[in-house]
Amino acid sequence: MEKPNTDIDWFEVISENYMNTEGRPMSVLESIRKDYPITCHGVGMSLGSSNEIDPKYLKDLKLLIDRVDPFLVSDHLAWNHFNGNRLHELIPVPYHEESLEVIANHIDQVQNELQRQIAVENISAYFQYTSSTMNECEFLSLLTQKTGCLILLDINNIYVNAKNFQFNPIDFIKTIPKKSITQIHLAGFTDMGNFLFDTHAEPVHSEVWNLLETSLEYIPENVPIMIEWDENVPEFHKLETELNKARKIMNKKAKNETKEPSEFIF
């Protein structure tokens, strides 16, 4: 496969799409990997489940990352399976000491098995638990302290939750330990009228671009940044245009300093 004519520097893949897979999917992935660094971003680790992490899942994930050597492995602060039953959504977790201990143990288990740090992403949510004793950003910060994990900071998810649950998104970002932020996601939401829905089906909204720009002093320089687009995917050159918007904003922080370009994938 010939290398495409693009200035994109790396790609992110959904881990589960390539676990236990050969044939064309793996052939395409390995072809991309010859020319580009990649990250493996999971949706099925279920760090927030009260069950133990599935050992077969971890074994299969390790086989994948040993094969393609991603520069980052990540998943979500969420759960989606319990006692063998799997859901096709990322369900939020309650934010209290008991769940903190369970999830910290799961992250330790994963990092020990994979022999590397992982990044944990903040999710969009549509309900909250009355049992929570802290908010999500406080919870994430404590997780980094207890486990040494990193944070994949999704700016769109923060904005969606801030609108749906009425909090200041900058207060959220300021609470996250800056040194723990290792990657940023951007995406487009859908306005459902009485709430925002994280669909990844539209361009990044101006409010999210503005939040990214406002957040620059709380985000490390040179942090990899990408745009997710899962439905109604436009032509590739339009995706590159979205990437360049992100690059322009991130480069404001660097002023006249030379820096690595920000990144993108869908």
Side-chain angles (χ1 to χ4, degrees):
M1 182 181 295
E2 184 176 346
K3 182 177 179 180
N5 182 20
T6 176
D7 60 356
I8 289 172
D9 296 291
W10 59 271
F11 289 85
E12 182 171 281
V13 301
I14 300 299
S15 302
E16 292 79 7
N17 288 348
Y18 299 93
M19 291 161 59
N20 295 313
T21 300
E22 293 293 340
R24 177 169 172 76
M26 185 55 70
S27 174
V28 170
L29 177 58
E30 291 184 326
S31 178
I32 292 171
R33 183 64 187 90
K34 287 179 183 178
D35 296 318
Y36 300 95
I38 65 167
T39 70
C40 287
H41 184 53
V43 295
M45 196 175 288
S46 199
L47 289 169
S49 174
S50 59
N51 293 145
E52 291 297 314
I53 302 295
D54 182 355
K56 183 179 185 306
Y57 178 96
L58 284 184
K59 179 181 178 181
D60 292 341
L61 177 59
K62 190 171 191 310
L63 287 172
L64 174 66
I65 65 177
D66 287 348
R67 184 169 182 173
V68 300
D69 188 26
F71 68 86
L72 183 66
V73 176
S74 60
D75 211 292
H76 300 80
L77 181 58
W79 64 276
N80 55 10
H81 65 83
F82 180 73
N83 287 345
N85 298 308
R86 292 186 176 269
L87 304 173
H88 295 286
E89 293 291 340
L90 296 169
I91 311 300
V93 300
Y95 305 126
H96 51 55
E97 289 294 333
E98 183 179 1
S99 61
L100 179 67
E101 191 67 24
V102 169
I103 296 169
N105 287 338
H106 287 169
I107 292 174
D108 284 341
Q109 177 189 355
V110 171
Q111 293 185 144
N112 288 334
E113 179 68 26
L114 301 183
Q115 289 297 293
R116 62 162 70 205
Q117 284 177 297
I118 64 167
V120 179
E121 179 182 349
N122 57 292
I123 70 166
S124 56
Y126 308 98
F127 66 89
Q128 296 176 312
Y129 296 90
T130 58
S131 62
S132 292
T133 58
M134 63 187 85
N135 60 39
E136 183 185 16
C137 50
E138 293 169 332
F139 193 91
L140 276 167
S141 297
L142 289 171
L143 272 181
T144 66
Q145 295 172 29
K146 289 177 74 69
T147 69
C149 74
L150 302 169
I151 301 297
L152 195 171
L153 196 66
D154 192 307
I155 301 293
N156 180 68
N157 288 351
I158 295 171
Y159 182 80
V160 166
N161 289 350
K163 292 293 287 185
N164 288 345
F165 300 123
Q166 297 297 299
F167 64 83
N168 186 331
I170 286 295
D171 287 345
F172 183 111
I173 294 167
K174 288 166 64 175
T175 305
I176 299 297
K178 184 175 180 178
K179 65 181 181 179
S180 297
I181 301 172
T182 192
Q183 186 181 339
I184 291 172
H185 276 180
L186 297 166
F189 60 78
T190 299
D191 190 339
M192 306 300 290
N194 57 348
F195 70 99
L196 302 184
F197 190 24
D198 177 35
T199 57
H200 298 181
E202 300 184 26
V204 178
H205 288 252
S206 59
E207 298 93 333
V208 176
W209 289 125
N210 292 340
L211 179 57
L212 173 64
E213 186 166 1
T214 306
S215 304
L216 290 181
E217 67 176 290
Y218 310 109
I219 296 171
E221 291 188 12
N222 303 317
V223 63
I225 184 169
M226 55 157 282
I227 296 171
E228 299 175 291
W229 204 318
D230 298 336
E231 299 179 19
N232 304 321
V233 181
E235 294 181 0
F236 197 77
H237 72 88
K238 293 183 179 179
L239 301 174
E240 290 180 297
T241 298
E242 288 286 280
L243 165 64
N244 287 328
K245 290 179 185 178
R247 284 175 167 161
K248 184 176 180 180
I249 290 172
M250 297 299 287
N251 284 337
K252 286 185 178 182
K253 182 179 182 181
K255 298 179 181 178
N256 296 322
E257 299 176 7
T258 301
K259 62 175 286 186
E260 292 296 318
S262 301
E263 316 297 351
F264 160 91
I265 190 55
F266 58 92

